[in-house]
Amino acid sequence: MKANKREQDRQRRHQRVRLRVYGTITRPRLNVYRSSAHIYAQLIDDGAGRTLVSASSLDKEVAGALKSGGNLAAAVAVGRAVAERALKANLKAVVFDRGGYQYHGRIKALAEACRERGLKF
């Protein structure tokens, strides 16, 4: 029961943030989702409603060097992967959507890895 309420609260926060955070083709939204076992990131053009670039701890390139998909090392690897793919797609600036999660731990590690690789937000 308590876990369900926690998820409902997160979804409510996410909806509140989504009223202000909007991705365009020139500055897409960097959306982050985390589960207990994995972490996912994608760049979304909200105008067209499509995903431009994505990476997750399940990707073969990322998962090969990881012991687990649900730790800080996985978040850093996913952040680097999504940033490199974004730069290949000529996307340099993004809007960060933390998905209702606290900017701490894996979310923060992913964001800092993206910044380290050259994404601006």
Side-chain angles (χ1 to χ4, degrees):
M1 181 77 175
K2 188 174 183 178
N4 190 23
K5 170 137 176 41
R6 185 175 295 147
E7 178 62 18
Q8 288 173 349
D9 290 345
R10 185 199 67 81
Q11 288 176 353
R12 193 174 304 118
R13 282 190 304 273
H14 189 192
Q15 289 302 320
R16 195 169 51 232
V17 170
R18 287 285 293 118
L19 292 173
R20 295 182 204 97
V21 176
Y22 187 81
T24 63
I25 189 69
T26 57
R27 192 167 177 178
R29 176 170 54 100
L30 173 58
N31 183 42
V32 178
Y33 175 75
R34 69 172 172 84
S35 68
S36 60
H38 297 286
I39 189 159
Y40 310 84
Q42 55 184 350
L43 294 178
I44 302 169
D45 173 15
D46 288 316
R50 53 176 238 177
T51 299
L52 305 172
V53 173
S54 68
S56 76
S57 58
L58 291 171
D59 291 348
K60 288 182 182 177
E61 304 133 14
V62 177
L66 298 176
K67 191 173 191 179
S68 169
N71 56 15
L72 279 175
V76 169
V78 170
R80 288 178 181 160
V82 77
E84 289 170 1
R85 292 173 188 177
L87 293 175
K88 281 184 187 175
N90 203 25
L91 300 168
K92 295 177 178 77
V94 297
V95 181
F96 189 64
D97 176 10
R98 59 189 172 86
Y101 300 108
Q102 198 175 41
Y103 188 79
H104 180 75
R106 290 190 284 160
I107 304 298
K108 183 177 178 181
L110 187 141
E112 289 176 353
C114 287
R115 286 189 183 110
E116 176 184 294
R117 292 289 179 173
L119 279 185
K120 305 279 187 240
F121 57 98

